[in-house]
């Protein structure tokens, strides 16, 4: 089932050209082999009459095609989760996002429908229409492809691969793997040969990618004790919850070669890799479509502009509050003190990444004086405590509903206004169409040297960049 925007003959032309622009949005199933590939695969070009085209890997697997061992569909960038779409397509996209992050081995269609606030029947209908497969088929494909990546790139034992990929038992995993790929997991591991003690994952992205720009944005914001940004890599500590258990450790991302990043994890984070990978892709904006962004922004934009997200939404919100009305350097200093006072020590961590960012639970019990003693003004201390106490109920924290509704809820917290809420959504949700209201730097940029534009004209001037206004924001900030 190919996307209606790309006829089969055009899809075959993209395959002939090995066009990387379609990587992650086009898959070809070859009927003579039963294998499906990415359009960038370097194997011999199949005959046109033997090709079937699909928009997602899940569609190809639903038709009983197996993933190629050479181009590895599990490494492909994904389709953009945010576009201009109607309500049903928005719900289908939110459903896919939930499934991508699902760490419950027994998750059901009813769980997802309840999360979205719709009936399971309506969910099945809109998901099938948008993605071409049923929701649980989509989830099964995601888990199997993650398992395939772990079997290929990691040294995890097979039973740990099963649980890390989201399967409830080794028996279920073996049965599903054999049914879909006609191969035992252990046989795939043997095909790959012996694994080095240090496992590394690989994630692909669409070129071009402004590596220097992303690192230049993150470097001055790196919090001492938590994160270190180098010339081609980022190392940081992280804690996350996966399948109800908290995992603490460190990770290192290296931009080793064009089109791909290498991910190194501490042994403590490998069991949580199923929850971590979607965060990594959003943090580094690996699924962005640089051609569409450049077309929307027009001339002058840096090739491969990306929108750095975050790995921890609570961390981002705290840093956003600390950064209100101060310089980036001052906000970084305050955040470093905050981590030293309230963050837990991380054992066996690389140098300069020995602290974990404080949890909402820890800050919710802090006092105003505790926080103010770090040089943080009292009103901001109150705001941080209120934010932490409200965190379990916030749609922003759970990534539920629309960006507009999440922003409105954030603005109910004392000390968080529309600008801060918009910035939180821009990076915390990787929302590509945020445009912080009343931003002085943006108003000056849009005024082109004349009188400052009015608030109304300010928003009207940004309409031409929809649905990628967040990228325009970073571009204007960068060149202010």
């Amino acid at each position: 089932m190919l996307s209606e925007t790309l006829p089969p003959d055009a899809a075959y032309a993209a395959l002939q050209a090995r066009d990387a622009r379609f990587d992650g949005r086009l898959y070809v199933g070859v009927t003579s082999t039963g294998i499906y590939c990415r359009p960038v695969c370097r194997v011999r070009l199949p005959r046109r009459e033997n090709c079937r085209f699909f928009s997602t890997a899940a569609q190809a697997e639903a038709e009983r095609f197996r993933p190629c061992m050479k181009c590895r569909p599990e490494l492909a960038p994904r389709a953009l989760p945010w576009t201009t779409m109607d309500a049903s397509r928005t719900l289908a996209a939110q459903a896919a996002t939930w499934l991508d992050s699902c760490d419950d081995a027994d998750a059901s269609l009813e769980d997802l429908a309840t999360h979205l606030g719709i009936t399971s029947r309506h969910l099945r209908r809109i998901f099938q229409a948008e993605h071409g497969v049923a929701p649980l088929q989509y989830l099964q494909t995601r888990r199997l492809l993650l398992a395939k990546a772990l079997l290929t790139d990691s040294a995890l034992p097979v039973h740990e691969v099963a649980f890390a990929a989201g399967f409830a038992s080794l028996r279920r995993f073996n049965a599903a793997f054999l049914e879909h790929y006609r191969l035992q997991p252990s046989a795939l591991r043997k095909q790959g040969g012996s694994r080095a003690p240090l496992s590394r994952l690989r994630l692909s992205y669409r070129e071009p990618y402004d590596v220097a720009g992303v690192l230049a944005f993150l470097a001055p914001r790196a919090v001492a004790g938590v994160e270190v940004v180098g010339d081609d890599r980022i190392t940081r500590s992280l804690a996350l919850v996966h399948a109800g258990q908290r995992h603490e450790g460190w990770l290192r991302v290296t931009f080793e070669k064009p089109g791909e990043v290498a991910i190194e994890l501490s042994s403590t984070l490998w069991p949580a890799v199923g929850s971590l990978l979607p965060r990594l892709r959003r943090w580094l904006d690996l699924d962005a479509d640089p051609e569409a962004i450049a077309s929307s922004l027009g001339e002058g934009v840096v090739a491969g502009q990306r929108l750095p997200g975050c790995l921890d939404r609570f961390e981002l919100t705290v840093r956003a509050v600390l950064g209100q009305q101060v310089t980036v350097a001052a906000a970084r200093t305050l955040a470093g003190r905050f981590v030293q006072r309230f963050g837990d020590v991380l054992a066996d961590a690389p140098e300069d990444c020995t602290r974990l960012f404080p949890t909402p639970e820890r800050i919710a019990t802090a006092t105003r004086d505790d926080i103010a003693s770090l040089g943080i003004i009292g009103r901001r201390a109150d705001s941080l405590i209120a934010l932490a106490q409200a965190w379990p109920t916030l749609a922003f924290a759970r990534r539920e509903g629309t960006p507009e509704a999440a922003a409105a809820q954030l603005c109910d917290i004392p000390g968080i206004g529309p600008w801060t809420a918009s910035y939180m959504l821009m990076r915390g949700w990787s929302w590509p169409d945020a445009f912080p209201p009343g931003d002085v730097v943006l108003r000056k940029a849009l005024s082109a040297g004349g009188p400052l534009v009015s608030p109304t004209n300010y928003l009207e001037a940004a309409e031409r960049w929809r649905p990628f206004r967040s990228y325009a924001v970073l571009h204007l900030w960068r060149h202010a």
Side-chain angles (χ1 to χ4, degrees):
M1 176 182 175
L2 181 65
S3 171
E4 66 274 10
T5 60
L6 196 64
D9 287 343
Y12 190 70
L15 180 65
Q16 286 178 305
R18 295 189 172 91
D19 195 331
R21 294 176 300 172
F22 295 95
D23 194 17
R25 295 183 302 214
L26 172 66
Y27 297 87
V28 55
V30 183
T31 56
S32 57
T33 64
I35 301 293
Y36 75 95
C37 297
R38 297 158 63 182
V40 295
C41 192
R42 293 294 173 178
V43 299
R44 182 178 178 180
L45 183 72
R47 296 169 62 91
R48 170 65 182 85
E49 59 267 26
N50 292 337
C51 294
R52 293 186 60 191
F53 299 102
F54 306 93
S55 298
T56 67
Q59 292 174 3
E61 296 206 4
E63 295 297 322
R64 310 295 293 171
F65 288 97
R66 306 185 307 279
C68 176
M69 298 294 185
K70 296 185 182 296
C71 67
R72 299 185 58 192
E74 69 271 17
L75 300 181
R78 299 181 181 182
L80 282 170
W82 300 95
T83 56
T84 302
M85 56 179 70
D86 60 26
S88 292
R89 297 190 66 195
T90 298
L91 282 171
Q94 291 175 345
T97 298
W98 188 89
L99 292 169
D100 286 339
S101 303
C102 180
D103 60 6
D104 183 357
D106 296 315
S108 67
L109 190 67
E110 291 296 336
D111 293 334
L112 176 52
T114 300
H115 172 80
L116 296 174
I118 59 178
T119 66
S120 58
R121 180 180 179 183
H122 184 50
L123 170 60
R124 279 193 297 268
R125 183 169 58 250
I126 63 174
F127 198 94
Q128 183 79 38
E130 180 65 18
H131 300 287
V133 294
L136 295 185
Q137 283 181 305
Y138 179 97
L139 179 60
Q140 180 86 315
T141 298
R142 174 193 168 276
R143 288 173 171 170
L144 286 170
L145 288 177
L146 173 58
K148 181 176 177 292
L150 294 177
L151 289 167
T152 306
D153 292 334
S154 84
L156 286 179
V158 174
H159 71 277
E160 292 186 22
V161 168
F163 292 114
F167 288 89
S169 69
L170 179 61
R171 181 183 59 80
R172 288 187 188 180
F173 169 58
N174 285 333
F177 204 91
L178 181 61
E179 178 186 358
H180 283 76
Y181 298 160
R182 292 160 233 174
L183 189 69
Q184 289 285 358
S186 55
L188 176 64
R189 171 66 57 82
K190 289 177 183 177
Q191 286 182 7
S194 60
R195 296 289 159 205
L198 182 63
S199 302
R200 305 178 86 195
L201 284 176
R202 293 184 290 145
L203 298 176
S204 297
Y205 58 80
R206 298 180 185 92
E207 295 186 75
Y209 188 110
D210 182 20
V211 175
V214 169
L215 296 179
F217 181 86
L218 294 175
R221 294 167 173 81
V223 178
V226 172
E227 189 173 35
V228 178
V229 180
D231 292 337
D232 65 348
R233 65 188 58 193
I234 309 167
T235 307
R236 64 157 296 152
S237 63
L238 182 68
L240 74 161
V241 175
H242 176 79
Q245 294 186 352
R246 178 178 167 88
H247 298 264
E248 301 176 352
W250 58 269
L251 62 89
R252 179 174 292 121
V253 174
T254 305
F255 291 89
E256 288 188 333
K257 61 181 182 180
E260 192 173 278
V261 295
I263 313 295
E264 183 182 341
L265 303 177
S266 65
S267 59
T268 52
L269 288 184
W270 277 104
V273 70
S275 293
L276 179 57
L277 288 188
R279 296 192 190 196
L280 285 169
R281 299 202 69 90
R282 290 193 297 269
W283 177 40
L284 301 174
D285 202 11
L286 298 181
D287 298 322
D289 184 342
E291 185 178 64
I293 294 166
S295 176
S296 177
L297 269 56
E299 296 182 3
V301 67
V302 176
Q305 168 101 33
R306 288 305 201 269
L307 172 64
C310 72
L311 287 172
D312 181 339
R313 290 193 193 104
F314 182 70
E315 175 185 331
L316 177 73
T317 59
V318 169
R319 292 166 65 170
V321 171
L322 294 177
Q324 290 174 337
Q325 299 178 331
V326 298
T327 65
V328 171
R332 178 183 182 180
T333 298
L334 293 174
R337 295 174 188 168
F338 193 82
V339 167
Q340 289 300 315
R341 173 65 64 84
F342 300 110
D344 292 333
V345 174
L346 179 64
D348 300 322
E351 188 178 358
D352 299 326
C353 294
T354 56
R355 291 270 179 175
L356 293 165
F357 200 86
T359 64
E361 294 79 10
R362 175 67 183 90
I363 304 307
T365 61
T367 67
R368 188 184 209 232
D369 290 342
D370 287 338
I371 298 175
S373 66
L374 304 176
I376 299 168
I377 65 173
R379 290 194 305 276
R380 301 249 159 76
D382 293 338
S383 181
L384 292 173
I385 294 170
L387 176 67
Q389 292 173 345
W391 192 253
T393 67
L394 292 179
F396 173 80
R398 301 190 303 271
R399 201 175 183 183
E400 290 180 0
T402 66
E404 294 81 7
Q409 192 181 30
L410 285 169
C411 288
D412 289 336
I413 297 172
I416 296 181
W419 188 98
T420 304
S422 182
Y423 178 79
M424 290 174 177
L425 284 156
M426 183 173 76
R427 295 193 58 204
W429 274 19
S430 298
W431 185 27
D433 201 33
F435 203 77
D439 186 280
V440 175
V441 174
L442 298 179
R443 288 183 68 187
K444 288 181 178 179
L446 292 173
S447 300
L452 283 180
V453 296
S454 68
T456 300
N457 290 337
Y458 168 79
L459 293 176
E460 289 177 352
E463 285 296 308
R464 65 182 183 272
W465 294 315
R466 283 188 182 273
F468 298 113
R469 291 184 299 173
S470 294
Y471 294 87
V473 169
L474 290 187
H475 172 70
L476 294 174
W477 281 350
R478 182 176 183 176
H479 297 282

